[in-house]
Coordinates of all heavy atoms in Angstrom, one line a residue:
E1 N 0.8 -1.2 0.0 CA 0.0 0.0 0.0 C 0.9 1.2 0.0 O 0.5 2.2 -0.6 CB -0.9 0.0 1.2 CG -1.9 -1.2 1.2 CD -2.8 -1.2 2.5 OE1 -2.4 -0.4 3.4 OE2 -3.7 -2.0 2.5
Q2 N 2.0 1.2 0.7 CA 2.9 2.3 0.7 C 4.3 1.9 0.5 O 4.8 0.9 1.0 CB 2.8 3.0 2.1 CG 1.5 3.6 2.5 CD 1.5 4.2 3.9 OE1 2.5 4.1 4.6 NE2 0.4 4.9 4.2
S3 N 5.0 2.6 -0.4 CA 6.3 2.2 -0.7 C 7.3 2.6 0.4 O 7.1 3.6 1.0 CB 6.8 2.9 -2.0 OG 6.7 4.3 -1.9
R4 N 8.3 1.8 0.5 CA 9.3 2.0 1.6 C 10.4 3.0 1.0 O 10.7 2.9 -0.2 CB 9.9 0.8 2.1 CG 8.9 -0.1 2.8 CD 9.6 -1.5 3.1 NE 10.8 -1.4 3.9 CZ 10.9 -1.5 5.2 NH1 9.8 -1.8 5.8 NH2 12.1 -1.4 5.8
Q5 N 11.0 3.8 1.9 CA 12.1 4.6 1.4 C 13.3 3.8 1.1 O 14.1 4.2 0.4 CB 12.3 5.7 2.5 CG 11.2 6.7 2.7 CD 11.5 7.8 3.7 OE1 12.5 7.7 4.4 NE2 10.7 8.8 3.8
K6 N 13.5 2.7 1.8 CA 14.6 1.9 1.7 C 14.2 0.4 1.5 O 13.3 -0.1 2.2 CB 15.5 2.0 2.9 CG 16.8 1.2 2.9 CD 17.6 1.3 4.2 CE 18.8 0.4 4.2 NZ 19.5 0.5 5.5
S7 N 14.9 -0.3 0.6 CA 14.5 -1.7 0.4 C 14.9 -2.5 1.6 O 15.9 -2.3 2.2 CB 15.3 -2.3 -0.8 OG 14.9 -1.6 -2.0
F8 N 14.0 -3.5 1.9 CA 14.2 -4.4 3.0 C 15.4 -5.3 2.7 O 15.4 -5.8 1.7 CB 12.9 -5.2 3.3 CG 13.0 -6.1 4.5 CD1 12.6 -5.7 5.7 CD2 13.5 -7.4 4.4 CE1 12.6 -6.4 6.9 CE2 13.6 -8.2 5.6 CZ 13.2 -7.7 6.7
G9 N 16.3 -5.5 3.7 CA 17.4 -6.3 3.5 C 18.0 -6.9 4.8 O 17.3 -6.8 5.9
Y10 N 19.2 -7.4 4.7 CA 19.8 -8.0 5.9 C 20.0 -7.1 7.1 O 19.8 -7.4 8.2 CB 21.1 -8.6 5.5 CG 21.8 -9.5 6.6 CD1 21.1 -10.5 7.2 CD2 23.1 -9.2 7.0 CE1 21.7 -11.3 8.2 CE2 23.6 -9.9 8.0 CZ 22.9 -11.0 8.6 OH 23.5 -11.7 9.6
D11 N 20.3 -5.8 6.8 CA 20.5 -4.9 7.9 C 19.2 -4.7 8.7 O 19.3 -4.5 9.9 CB 20.9 -3.5 7.3 CG 22.3 -3.5 6.8 OD1 23.1 -4.4 7.1 OD2 22.7 -2.6 6.0
D12 N 18.1 -4.8 8.1 CA 16.8 -4.7 8.8 C 16.6 -5.9 9.7 O 16.1 -5.8 10.9 CB 15.6 -4.7 7.8 CG 15.6 -3.4 7.0 OD1 15.2 -2.4 7.5 OD2 16.1 -3.5 5.8
V13 N 17.0 -7.1 9.3 CA 16.9 -8.3 10.1 C 17.9 -8.2 11.3 O 17.6 -8.6 12.4 CB 17.1 -9.6 9.3 CG1 16.9 -10.9 10.1 CG2 16.3 -9.6 8.0
V14 N 19.1 -7.7 11.0 CA 20.1 -7.6 12.1 C 19.6 -6.6 13.2 O 19.7 -6.9 14.4 CB 21.4 -7.1 11.5 CG1 22.4 -6.7 12.7 CG2 22.0 -8.2 10.6
R15 N 19.0 -5.5 12.7 CA 18.5 -4.6 13.7 C 17.4 -5.2 14.5 O 17.4 -5.0 15.8 CB 17.9 -3.4 12.9 CG 17.1 -2.4 13.8 CD 16.5 -1.2 13.0 NE 15.7 -1.6 11.9 CZ 14.4 -2.0 12.1 NH1 13.9 -2.0 13.2 NH2 13.7 -2.4 11.0
R16 N 16.5 -6.0 13.9 CA 15.5 -6.6 14.7 C 16.0 -7.6 15.7 O 15.5 -7.8 16.8 CB 14.5 -7.3 13.8 CG 13.7 -6.3 12.9 CD 12.7 -7.0 11.9 NE 12.1 -6.0 11.0 CZ 11.0 -6.1 10.4 NH1 10.3 -7.2 10.6 NH2 10.6 -5.2 9.6
A17 N 17.1 -8.4 15.2 CA 17.7 -9.4 16.1 C 18.3 -8.7 17.3 O 18.2 -9.2 18.4 CB 18.7 -10.2 15.3
K18 N 19.0 -7.6 17.1 CA 19.6 -6.9 18.2 C 18.5 -6.3 19.2 O 18.7 -6.4 20.4 CB 20.5 -5.7 17.7 CG 21.7 -6.1 17.0 CD 22.5 -5.0 16.5 CE 23.8 -5.4 15.8 NZ 24.6 -4.2 15.2
E19 N 17.5 -5.8 18.7 CA 16.4 -5.4 19.5 C 15.7 -6.5 20.3 O 15.4 -6.4 21.5 CB 15.3 -4.6 18.7 CG 15.8 -3.3 18.1 CD 14.8 -2.7 17.1 OE1 13.7 -3.3 16.9 OE2 15.1 -1.6 16.6
L20 N 15.6 -7.6 19.6 CA 15.0 -8.8 20.2 C 15.9 -9.3 21.3 O 15.5 -9.8 22.4 CB 14.8 -9.9 19.2 CG 13.8 -11.1 19.6 CD1 12.4 -10.6 19.9 CD2 13.8 -12.1 18.4
G21 N 17.2 -9.3 21.0 CA 18.2 -9.8 22.0 C 18.4 -9.0 23.3 O 18.8 -9.5 24.3
E22 N 17.9 -7.7 23.2 CA 18.0 -6.8 24.3 C 16.8 -7.1 25.3 O 16.8 -6.6 26.4 CB 18.0 -5.4 23.9 CG 19.3 -5.0 23.2 CD 19.2 -3.5 22.6 OE1 18.1 -3.0 22.7 OE2 20.2 -3.1 22.1
Q23 N 15.8 -7.8 24.8 CA 14.6 -8.1 25.6 C 14.7 -9.5 26.2 O 15.3 -10.4 25.6 CB 13.4 -7.9 24.8 CG 13.2 -6.6 24.1 CD 12.2 -6.6 23.0 OE1 11.3 -7.5 23.0 NE2 12.2 -5.6 22.1
P24 N 14.0 -9.7 27.3 CA 13.9 -11.1 27.8 C 13.2 -12.0 26.8 O 12.3 -11.5 26.1 CB 13.1 -11.0 29.1 CG 13.2 -9.5 29.5 CD 13.4 -8.7 28.2
F25 N 13.5 -13.2 26.8 CA 12.9 -14.2 25.8 C 11.4 -14.3 26.2 O 11.0 -14.3 27.3 CB 13.5 -15.6 26.0 CG 12.8 -16.6 25.1 CD1 12.9 -16.6 23.8 CD2 11.9 -17.5 25.7 CE1 12.2 -17.5 23.0 CE2 11.3 -18.5 25.0 CZ 11.5 -18.5 23.6
D26 N 10.5 -14.2 25.1 CA 9.1 -14.2 25.3 C 8.5 -15.4 24.6 O 8.6 -15.5 23.4 CB 8.5 -12.9 24.8 CG 7.0 -12.9 24.9 OD1 6.5 -13.6 25.7 OD2 6.4 -12.0 24.2
S27 N 7.9 -16.3 25.3 CA 7.3 -17.5 24.7 C 5.8 -17.4 24.4 O 5.2 -18.2 23.8 CB 7.5 -18.7 25.7 OG 6.8 -18.5 26.9
E28 N 5.3 -16.2 24.8 CA 3.9 -16.0 24.5 C 3.6 -15.9 23.0 O 4.4 -15.3 22.2 CB 3.4 -14.7 25.1 CG 1.9 -14.4 25.1 CD 1.5 -13.1 25.7 OE1 2.4 -12.6 26.5 OE2 0.4 -12.7 25.5
G29 N 2.5 -16.4 22.5 CA 2.3 -16.4 21.1 C 2.9 -17.6 20.3 O 2.7 -17.7 19.1
L30 N 3.5 -18.5 21.0 CA 4.1 -19.6 20.3 C 3.2 -20.9 20.4 O 3.6 -21.9 19.9 CB 5.5 -20.0 21.0 CG 6.6 -18.9 20.9 CD1 7.8 -19.3 21.6 CD2 6.8 -18.6 19.4
V31 N 2.1 -20.8 21.0 CA 1.1 -21.9 21.2 C 0.2 -21.9 20.0 O -0.4 -20.9 19.7 CB 0.4 -21.8 22.5 CG1 -0.6 -23.0 22.6 CG2 1.3 -21.8 23.7

């Protein structure tokens, strides 16, 4: 619906992994 200013790529996944790693592990939603 809306174009992104930057193409999605590996840097986006790395950013999400770092943000995820800074938080406690969450098992909610895995059932």
Side-chain angles (χ1 to χ4, degrees):
E1 295 177 354
Q2 297 179 352
S3 60
R4 293 171 57 96
Q5 295 182 352
K6 179 184 176 183
S7 296
F8 185 92
Y10 185 55
D11 289 343
D12 296 278
V13 186
V14 171
R15 173 180 55 80
R16 298 181 185 200
K18 290 179 178 179
E19 293 173 356
L20 195 60
E22 292 174 354
Q23 306 166 16
F25 175 73
D26 180 17
S27 61
E28 187 179 346
L30 298 178
V31 179

